[in-house]
Amino acid sequence: MVLDGAALPDDRRQAVAAEFGFSETTFTGPPSHPTAGDVRVRIHTPLLELPFAGHPTLGTAVAVAAERALPGGSVLTLELGVGGVPVELDADGGGGWMRQPVPTVAVWPADRHGALLAALGLDPSVVVAPVERYDNGVPHAFVVVSSPDVVAGCTPDLGALGAVAPGCGVSVCAITGETAAVTRMFHPSAGVAEDAATGSAAGPLALHLLRHGLLSPGRELAIDQGAAIGRPSRLLARVEGLPDAVAAVAVGGRAVIVGTGELRL
């Protein structure tokens, strides 16, 4: 996160994000209007700006709360490209829950189904649910497979994947328990070969599993990600309502401030 960096020119923010090389870098600043939120946040991958992302939203909320010495349990509304996203901090301020936009859902195009699986290096026989595309500000496609071993062994061709799913993250997931899943997320067209934690995909994943009978209504889903790249993470997601009548999608997690510094531009 770059404090007070939202007002930097677009090309300077993008250059900073590319230099850092993280999946996302956030830049904060005053809200565009007093009713828009408590802080404005711009989010960049190494290649482009995103209107929404999940784990950097949680992390930025925790960091802003610490910088402002807000008490645990506070609610911060972050002004993102998709609008205001409220984050309710945990009692100790070290994490929280965000209320995400409810995603739209579309079936993955039949004429690109085989190419998608081929780009992921997956045999069609291991896919156990329809492949669908969800969009809550960032599009994500979900490929649910038969076991965690299949997820761990996935070897995508990133060039082919970027061509068959331009502008779209692709998650390969498996159920590991009644309320648990493991996932890997690839988004080469955004400059992210593999992400350690993808909050923008966590809520849609819970909805996807709920819609296809793989998660019971009202249950909180624990999502493990990042182990394949040595950066294990856990996100929590829940869907309020029913598959055909979603009231809200929420994603939670923890964040740790590991360092601070000064950036001279």
Side-chain angles (χ1 to χ4, degrees):
M1 182 184 81
V2 179
L3 284 168
D4 301 321
L8 290 170
D10 292 353
D11 60 341
R12 299 300 296 277
R13 292 196 312 276
Q14 191 59 67
V16 170
E19 179 66 22
F20 284 169
F22 297 139
S23 294
E24 293 98 3
T25 299
T26 62
F27 301 80
T28 67
S32 62
H33 188 274
T35 63
D38 299 299
V39 59
R40 188 184 187 196
V41 180
R42 308 290 291 268
I43 305 172
H44 288 258
T45 77
L47 290 183
L48 48 84
E49 183 173 6
L50 297 176
F52 176 62
H55 70 287
T57 296
L58 283 172
T60 297
V62 168
V64 169
E67 193 262 340
R68 296 182 180 183
L70 298 179
S74 297
V75 177
L76 271 173
T77 297
L78 277 59
E79 181 191 358
L80 307 178
V82 295
V85 174
V87 179
E88 182 178 357
L89 297 170
D90 293 339
D92 65 358
W97 283 83
M98 79 179 83
R99 185 63 61 94
Q100 296 191 339
V102 176
T104 59
V105 186
V107 175
W108 186 259
D111 61 351
R112 287 192 284 150
H113 186 272
L116 178 65
L117 298 186
L120 291 168
L122 295 175
D123 188 279
S125 64
V126 303
V127 180
V128 299
V131 178
E132 293 175 334
R133 181 182 183 274
Y134 292 68
D135 193 337
N136 57 6
V138 179
H140 288 282
F142 294 94
V143 182
V144 183
V145 296
S146 55
S147 75
D149 288 341
V150 175
V151 176
C154 182
T155 54
D157 178 331
L158 294 176
L161 189 60
V164 74
C168 185
V170 179
S171 293
V172 179
C173 331
I175 297 296
T176 57
E178 289 187 3
T179 58
V182 62
T183 187
R184 295 173 66 190
M185 198 288 292
F186 311 101
H187 200 338
S189 61
V192 180
E194 182 168 352
D195 199 10
T198 314
S200 60
L205 174 57
L207 178 57
H208 184 61
L209 298 180
L210 178 64
R211 293 181 65 247
H212 295 290
L214 299 171
L215 179 69
S216 299
R219 304 299 296 274
E220 185 176 289
L221 180 70
I223 303 166
D224 289 319
Q225 186 177 339
I229 55 174
R231 298 168 62 195
S233 67
R234 171 166 286 188
L235 288 166
L236 306 173
R238 64 173 182 258
V239 177
E240 299 172 14
L242 299 173
D244 57 352
V246 176
V249 177
V251 170
R254 304 285 292 174
V256 178
I257 298 174
V258 296
T260 61
E262 182 178 280
L263 185 65
R264 299 182 182 182
L265 299 176

